[in-house]
Amino acid sequence: MIALDKETLDELLADTHVLNRVKMECLLLPYMGLRPVSQITIPAEYPGGLEMGEMIDRALKPHVDRLQGITEPRAKLQAIREARKLMAKQFETEVEGSHPYKAYYGWSDRLGLRSEQAQVRPTVHEIFLYKDRGNGRELKRLLNDRLKIRAKVQKKPDPGMPRVRFAYPEEFDVKWITRMGRLLGYPECCVEQYAQDRAKGVNVETRAAQQLLGLLQEEKEVDTHAYILGFFFPCKPSCPNAAEKGFRWHDEFTKMDERLGGMYAGLLKFNATMVLRQPELINRYLVQFQKPEQEKNGADG
């Protein structure tokens, strides 16, 4: 484990522009050599990120609404291109010009982490942090492969394909999600279960929530050490490989500073709680995502 001087750690913990979960999972774990690559989704993982996203949507709504009145193919295509440019400009101004954005990159530089930023949609990006150059090369290959997978699906779209699967086809590509899961530091068994679920059409979030809910209903003890990261779904609540990581990371955080140990213990419980809530949150998202706004979908592509 690489020690961090108290003054720097105090400053990091006091920084209100970075979520505590991001500080631990995305900055400190790669810094400590405990996780190959971490991932931050922006602006969602900003303090106040939800409000920022809603503000961007409101600003863009008039432009997206105008698309609905355009029927001529060439004019519509031109309007979509203009909408995408506006989205990118809005993201650059509101997100990349924000204090959290500067803080995330500032801390990654101070901790000696390398970074890679990728666009998921014009108004949603991912920041990946890592130390090892080899991991960085694999990450770049994965991001390039994601573009190829999306291009292939968009070139020959299946009319019956669900919109979420059309927008994020890589999330249903077993080879791709297996490689990405390993790179993000998830246990092998959990990565394999996740990939199999996706291939079979099993809703991973619902499966993980039902597994955990079943234990709670039976009044069995739940070891939250298996819930090592936010938005991570162990193959089962009692997964020994996930729990081993959770205990080891908890111990390493405690060795670095007692405050970190306490924060990570709280984070483990929070992660388990969020697994229970994921089906509800996903359903809310799908209701919004599946609204018949094809023009907006074209601009977001």
Side-chain angles (χ1 to χ4, degrees):
M1 180 185 72
I2 302 175
L4 190 66
D5 67 88
K6 187 176 182 303
E7 182 179 353
T8 301
L9 179 58
D10 287 347
E11 189 177 344
L12 173 61
L13 294 181
D15 193 335
T16 58
H17 295 306
V18 182
L19 296 175
N20 284 339
R21 187 181 70 78
V22 171
K23 292 173 186 176
M24 305 195 73
E25 295 183 1
C26 304
L27 290 169
L28 289 176
L29 282 177
Y31 168 79
M32 296 163 72
L34 298 175
R35 189 181 184 191
V37 176
S38 65
Q39 175 185 342
I40 307 164
T41 302
I42 57 172
E45 293 183 90
Y46 281 175
L50 178 61
E51 292 79 5
M52 182 180 289
E54 291 174 346
M55 180 177 64
I56 292 174
D57 287 343
R58 284 195 299 271
L60 294 169
K61 190 176 186 302
H63 304 285
V64 175
D65 288 346
R66 272 200 291 272
L67 289 171
Q68 297 178 4
I70 302 175
T71 57
E72 199 280 319
R74 290 186 179 179
K76 180 172 288 253
L77 181 59
Q78 181 60 32
I80 288 174
R81 288 172 177 166
E82 291 175 359
R84 287 176 177 170
K85 289 180 180 178
L86 286 170
M87 290 176 179
K89 183 63 177 178
Q90 193 74 12
F91 183 89
E92 180 182 347
T93 302
E94 300 294 341
V95 179
E96 295 186 337
S98 68
H99 291 298
Y101 185 86
K102 296 171 184 176
Y104 283 13
Y105 274 102
W107 280 110
S108 66
D109 289 344
R110 290 181 64 177
L111 295 175
L113 300 175
R114 297 181 173 88
S115 63
E116 188 74 27
Q117 184 169 325
Q119 176 181 298
V120 181
R121 299 201 310 272
T123 57
V124 178
H125 288 207
E126 294 167 333
I127 299 174
F128 296 89
L129 303 177
Y130 59 93
K131 266 191 171 183
D132 181 75
R133 292 183 184 274
N135 291 329
R137 288 191 290 270
E138 171 64 3
L139 172 63
K140 290 177 182 178
R141 284 192 290 266
L142 274 165
L143 295 177
N144 187 54
D145 287 346
R146 178 166 70 180
L147 294 177
K148 292 179 180 177
I149 293 169
R150 291 187 178 187
K152 182 178 180 181
V153 170
Q154 291 167 6
K155 185 176 181 180
K156 294 183 178 180
D158 180 352
M161 180 180 291
R163 288 183 63 187
V164 172
R165 190 159 186 159
F166 176 80
Y168 309 107
E170 71 280 358
E171 283 296 321
F172 300 88
D173 184 290
V174 171
K175 184 176 180 181
W176 191 90
I177 58 179
T178 298
R179 290 165 60 202
M180 181 59 83
R182 290 169 178 164
L183 197 61
L184 292 174
Y186 302 154
E188 187 74 22
C189 56
C190 301
V191 171
E192 291 179 359
Q193 184 65 57
Y194 185 97
Q196 290 174 14
D197 286 348
R198 288 294 195 193
K200 295 175 182 177
V202 175
N203 186 293
V204 177
E205 294 82 5
T206 299
R207 181 265 297 167
Q210 289 177 342
Q211 287 176 317
L212 184 52
L213 183 60
L215 287 183
L216 294 174
Q217 290 174 337
E218 294 173 8
E219 298 184 352
K220 292 183 178 179
E221 185 176 353
V222 176
D223 184 358
T224 57
H225 282 88
Y227 297 87
I228 53 176
L229 297 163
F231 309 106
F232 163 71
F233 306 96
C235 56
K236 55 186 177 181
S238 59
C239 174
N241 295 318
E244 187 276 331
K245 276 185 182 284
F247 276 108
R248 181 158 52 89
W249 291 358
H250 189 189
D251 184 54
E252 293 296 336
F253 275 129
T254 304
K255 288 178 182 176
M256 178 175 281
D257 191 285
E258 289 286 344
R259 293 170 297 176
L260 294 178
M263 287 173 62
Y264 189 60
L267 195 59
L268 290 167
K269 294 178 181 178
F270 178 77
N271 289 342
T273 299
M274 290 304 295
V275 167
L276 285 175
R277 292 191 58 200
Q278 277 304 302
E280 169 199 349
L281 298 174
I282 292 293
N283 285 335
R284 286 185 192 175
Y285 171 75
L286 289 177
V287 167
Q288 180 180 12
F289 189 80
Q290 292 176 344
K291 287 180 181 178
E293 298 178 355
Q294 295 181 3
E295 290 81 5
K296 180 176 179 181
N297 185 55
D300 279 348

